[in-house]
Amino acid sequence: MATLGDIGVSALINILSAFAFLLAFALLRIQPINDRVYFPKWYINGGRTSPRGRGGNFVAKFVNLDFKTYLTFLNWMPQALKMSETELINHAGLDSAVFLRIYTLGLKIFVPITVLALLILIPVNVSSGTLFFLRKELVVSDIDKLSISNVRPESIRFFVHIGLEYLFTFWICFMLYKEYDTVATMRLHFLASERRRAEQFTVAVRNVPQIPGHSIADSLDHFFKTNHPDTYLCHQAVYNANKFARLVSKRDRLQNWLDYNQLKFERHPEKRPTKKIGFLGLWGERVDSIDFYKQQIKEFDKQMELERQKVLKDSKSILPVAFVSFKSRWGAAVCAQTQQSKNPTLWLTNWAPEPRDVYWRNLAIPFVSLTIRKTIISISVFALVFFYMIPIAFVQSLANLEGLERVAPFLRPVIELGFIKSFLQGFLPGLALKIFLYILPTILMIMSKIEGHIAISTLERRASAKYYYFMLVNVFLGSIVTGTAFQQLHSFLHQPPTQIPRTIGVSIPMKATFFITYIMVDGWAGIAGEILRLKPLVIFHLKNMFLVKTERDREKAMDPGSVDYPETLPSLQLYFLLGIVYAVVTPILLPFILVFFAFAYLVYRHQIINVYNPQYESGAAFWPHVHSRIIASLLISQLLLMGLLSTKKAANSTPLLVILPVLTLTFHKYCKSRFEPAFRKYPLEEAMAKDLMDRTTEPDINLKAFLADAYLHPIFRSFEEEELVEVRVDKVRVDRHQTYAENAQTRDDLSSSPPHYVHQPTSPPQHSYQPASTPQDVYHHGIAPQYEYNSSSLHYDYHYEAEPWTSGD
Amino acid sequence: MATLGDIGVSALINILSAFAFLLAFALLRIQPINDRVYFPKWYINGGRTSPRGRGGNFVAKFVNLDFKTYLTFLNWMPQALKMSETELINHAGLDSAVFLRIYTLGLKIFVPITVLALLILIPVNVSSGTLFFLRKELVVSDIDKLSISNVRPESIRFFVHIGLEYLFTFWICFMLYKEYDTVATMRLHFLASERRRAEQFTVAVRNVPQIPGHSIADSLDHFFKTNHPDTYLCHQAVYNANKFARLVSKRDRLQNWLDYNQLKFERHPEKRPTKKIGFLGLWGERVDSIDFYKQQIKEFDKQMELERQKVLKDSKSILPVAFVSFKSRWGAAVCAQTQQSKNPTLWLTNWAPEPRDVYWRNLAIPFVSLTIRKTIISISVFALVFFYMIPIAFVQSLANLEGLERVAPFLRPVIELGFIKSFLQGFLPGLALKIFLYILPTILMIMSKIEGHIAISTLERRASAKYYYFMLVNVFLGSIVTGTAFQQLHSFLHQPPTQIPRTIGVSIPMKATFFITYIMVDGWAGIAGEILRLKPLVIFHLKNMFLVKTERDREKAMDPGSVDYPETLPSLQLYFLLGIVYAVVTPILLPFILVFFAFAYLVYRHQIINVYNPQYESGAAFWPHVHSRIIASLLISQLLLMGLLSTKKAANSTPLLVILPVLTLTFHKYCKSRFEPAFRKYPLEEAMAKDLMDRTTEPDINLKAFLADAYLHPIFRSFEEEELVEVRVDKVRVDRHQTYAENAQTRDDLSSSPPHYVHQPTSPPQHSYQPASTPQDVYHHGIAPQYEYNSSSLHYDYHYEAEPWTSGD
């Protein structure tokens, strides 16, 4: 296995590659041509206009000629730290702000632990003894001399480790409690200070019973008028628009081809582009491309209009699902939290997600199939988690060079070259694992979609949970057990059940070097790669070259992305797990984790401020998961330490340590009852207070108009409504000033550009765009048109291009 | 181990003792002197008056002289079956009726299974082969020749067993589904047809925050007036009356002594009883007992009145708990199901239990300690379940006579005597186990009380869950594993984890004889003992001899008891487990279980009709537990069969069987979402419908008066209110006729004597008692006075004794 020298080489490689990424980033970000790749958030917020629009010479529009800026290539770091948390919430939403808090929580937890562990444990471990008692093949690395492995069995020094485990557990629980408290308060404050939004008044009702002779709309009206007579306002039916959605995406593709051909013609006006109309354009009659696509789009528009009318008018396309709106937040809170019907599978009510958070396709899933879907997915996840291990095991066995040499002795001369050996041992295992993990999130997201959740935020949380199980079993346990399995398989299979934590525990110190390289590859170089945004950079320039005609197209080509929760949350949780498990066992691993937390914090803060445009705002709904997974890490560390110490014959350790999991679980239960409802339910006290405030400030608002189309499937507002926007602009400008003037006074902290209606990866150019009339404007990932709903009045005078357009992925 | 002969002897003993019990019961029940022991329910319902009050000669009042009745000593059986289920619900409540359905469910499940298993499996097993492949010491009994043990390894016949396991699983799931559906419908119908009751309008609020400068009553009023402005009606504070309760119980003891001495004096008027006032009556001044106790009681009454005033007036004795009442059921349903406050540990709302179901003492437990209490109790239950095994193991080792002979060879001559051997082997193990289990329910009930639940029904369900875990681990698994542990301990400790179900599975057929004896001892003789009611019989006659002066005292001495859910539910569930596990393995066990279900059904039906007086009515809230534990039994049986078959080298069995647990779990999840909310929540649709009906039938009822004192701690209504009752009687009689006349028409099935306010083990003589004025009359176990609230007007003219009285345990 790897020696200290290998670690050094690996560290060097990773630090160099991280610096290379940072340098590349520093050079690329100051080029005006890349401005939209590295600062899209500001374009969306309206804080920045296209550099091409500015004056100056032609070259300066594309390349940065101000050489002074090249000298300060790390100046994004202090800039990223400048924005305060309140500003950050206003700028990017609560989700992003709380996401960053996970990194500061990591720092708060691990800085004191690192200092204490290094100061106390390293001397204890090093001075304690030698590794003489271990068989030769188990003395794997110099790192082990700094770890608990170096302590003689039955040594009294283990009480230092046990004492520190207690101390660390209490410290972590204390920090977790404080953080949960803060986040819950932030969430409640955030919700309380939000302005009026459709989802506050709306409840998603699933499984509306089909009564023969009555339309779904009638049943809905009748049911809610009977059972919520004082608060029921109206409802919005949900249409099954899958066929229509297919047409829209086909039209998008045609539009792209048209754009491409028009651009080609503009650049080479001497030659009109032509194409063959046969299969894949390989044969058939040759026609003029621009005319052809224009004609096709025209036909499609007709077809789509027909289909659209059909869907809206045919009662069969109405799904047994609806968004029911109430006169007050109190009414909606009551309906969302109570059981409506005698048959508990009918009239299922839940808070409606934000309109742009709705995953429309899953609304059509009938309730009966949900149980079956969930079972099937559970089994699939189990299979995926446990049978994915086979390739990982193979990679792990490769990483063991001694094993590789035995298998393929002819490779020995190559492998034995010093540098190659270090490279292979230090870099390969982590990298190979990372590649394996690359395609996984997509699979897990598809699985979550099959489960039938109706909000994108829920889907992402579920995918993230699955990914966490995967990481836990395959990256963490898999690396520990499979790695040693090649040495200990025989003895492992012949051990009684109580032996398992001992077997895993005893392997843990040996795997420290592996995890150190993993942290460097994934946590250091990986995060530096994140800031470079290579993929969006390339795609943006490709689009720019072939599709962009207007400023608005360029806006669409911009891909700000958002924090990739399904992937980053589990990774983060893995780092917590590693830190907590190794804090007592091999404390030398901790500084590597600290570097990760600090560096990733900087990077993500920069990205959140300048790049990401959140797709939805869940109000930090992911926090309970973060909390409970750190608790799970604590439990795992306690169990494994128990196993490890029992092999060390520290006789009294088990009874001493067995109290810890019990205390930790009690703490978890307490936190769950104390804080979790703040993330799952909407208290009536809160709803009533906001209702009362509304009633005094705006007694005669027309709520019905406000809510009327809020939950219309976004696909139905693609065309003509946009044309109307222009007409309504002046009226709207007046309206909005009236409506939100008073509100703005009471909510200073959120009054400028609330982030909630700004999110699309392929967004229209809001800086040259009029704010939409009402929050009716529903946003949907990848299909719907996007309206920027910016309450600051800075950008009202930008040019608005009224052409019909659609967005496509 | 036991042979077929041993089983025969055991069966004979148990059948004989069951018959002896039944004979004794038949003789005792027809003696008029025992009438109140065997027919208390009818006294409480007012259907029977004291036989002493009837005419006839003196002896006939005590001994039955009608010899014809002795000839038909089993005629209680057809009588018990006469009452229809609807009548039963009216007579004894839904809990009792649904409890009986568990037995019929057992019959419905096991009759077809028994027939099929005996017809198909016995021939398959017997004809299959011999037990030649087992080592001598494992061939334990002739029973094994009828079991799966007799099938040759790798035999194709195992597919018959697998097929039947599938068939049985589907059949059981089908029956469970049907039954859950029926019970849920019964519950909803029962709730819908109930008349107006305090708990329908009331919510229990825990953890009311203490705001300095405000009384709890003010905070309550303010909070609910703000957040439930349209529905809030009033609230009832809860007082900490622990000191007062102590005084009450002391006074009860004095009253008993007074009664005893007065009775003594009446019987021997020549000598006034005297006592010494010193320690334990052993020394000190000798005084007249009657005067002494009268004086003492007088002083106590004064002291109690003072304490009572103090509690009611001192604001410190008001607990941060309250019963909040609403104007409509809808309002209460909304409040009970929603979160009230931003801080989720404050203002915790839940449905209020029935007034007589409230466990008052736990209302004083602060919320923060609940998590800790639950953790401590979980650990204690775990310890109890797993360390209780040691004595059981000891008993099991005794039951193995061969083992006993090895340990104590000098006992051999005694043991080898044929009859003694059979007796020991057939009777002892089951009996010893039963004695061990005797003290357990009390401990578990105390544990549940410490957990802090506020309803007696919840306490009983929790205790029953604990008892089930105990039975599962100790009676079922403990018997299987410890029994064989003496033969297989060594090999067991050296097996890998996957081996455990195999080890247990392979021991299962060997334990069939043990469980057959267990069923006969516990299920046959035990149930016959239940009908004899030996303990209440003795206690009643002792009380009759020493304490009873008046008819009312005799009424109090009566102890009808109620179904002992914490003990009977888990036992029942154990029989389901045994039946399901052995259905495929040793089908010869099934007829024994069938006899148990049929016999127990008869006995409990008789007891419920004639004896038990339910303490509360939970509306069959225990059904989800019954359901999920039968599902658990199914899962256990599938796992063990998998283990058993894998040792039989039925190569393809595991993949074939592994689908079953998945299907079973899916079925369980579906049932949970489909039916469980009917048992946990009160749908708004239902609440609204009842509210509307009320509004049309009785538009101007004074709900506030109806609810005013419903949830006053029962201890405060001991004295003066009773004196008021007599005064109010005439008024009430008119009121009640007005109030319930219309309701009665719509609810034929429940109109005669709803059982809800009739329940007390030590009840006052309702047949000579006036119905109370309003449902204000709160019932509390063991302390409170009881008012019969009988809506039939049959018994209005009985004599009412207006003396103040209290009841005591």
Side-chain angles (χ1 to χ4, degrees), chain A residues 354-358 360 709-715 717 757 759 774-780 784-787:
Chain A
E354 285 186 284
R356 60 187 170 142
D357 190 15
V358 176
W360 294 93
D709 273 347
Y711 280 92
L712 184 64
H713 197 307
I715 217 162
R717 38 176 103 249
Y757 280 79
H759 79 293
T774 66
Q776 290 172 14
D777 311 306
V778 178
Y779 303 95
H780 180 53
Q786 300 304 317
Y787 301 86

Side-chain angles (χ1 to χ4, degrees), chain A residues 672-732:
Chain A
K672 208 178 160 73
S673 67
R674 172 74 184 77
F675 298 117
E676 204 175 297
F679 291 84
R680 303 270 171 271
K681 290 171 173 178
Y682 192 46
L684 294 188
E685 189 183 17
E686 196 77 18
M688 191 52 104
K690 285 212 81 176
D691 281 342
L692 287 177
M693 206 178 79
D694 261 25
R695 240 171 266 162
T696 47
T697 53
E698 308 164 71
D700 42 48
I701 182 160
N702 185 351
L703 207 57
K704 202 157 184 168
F706 174 78
L707 294 169
D709 273 347
Y711 280 92
L712 184 64
H713 197 307
I715 217 162
F716 295 121
R717 38 176 103 249
S718 311
F719 306 102
E720 72 269 42
E721 286 189 19
E722 273 158 55
E723 282 149 31
L724 292 176
V725 169
E726 206 177 20
V727 183
R728 282 191 285 179
V729 161
D730 287 313
K731 190 178 145 284
V732 167

Side-chain angles (χ1 to χ4, degrees), chain B residues 201 203 224 228 231-233 324-328 331-332 335 703 707:
Chain B
F201 295 89
V203 162
F224 285 98
H228 296 271
T231 52
Y232 173 66
L233 185 70
V324 174
S325 294
F326 291 83
K327 286 178 195 152
S328 61
C335 184
L703 207 56
L707 293 169

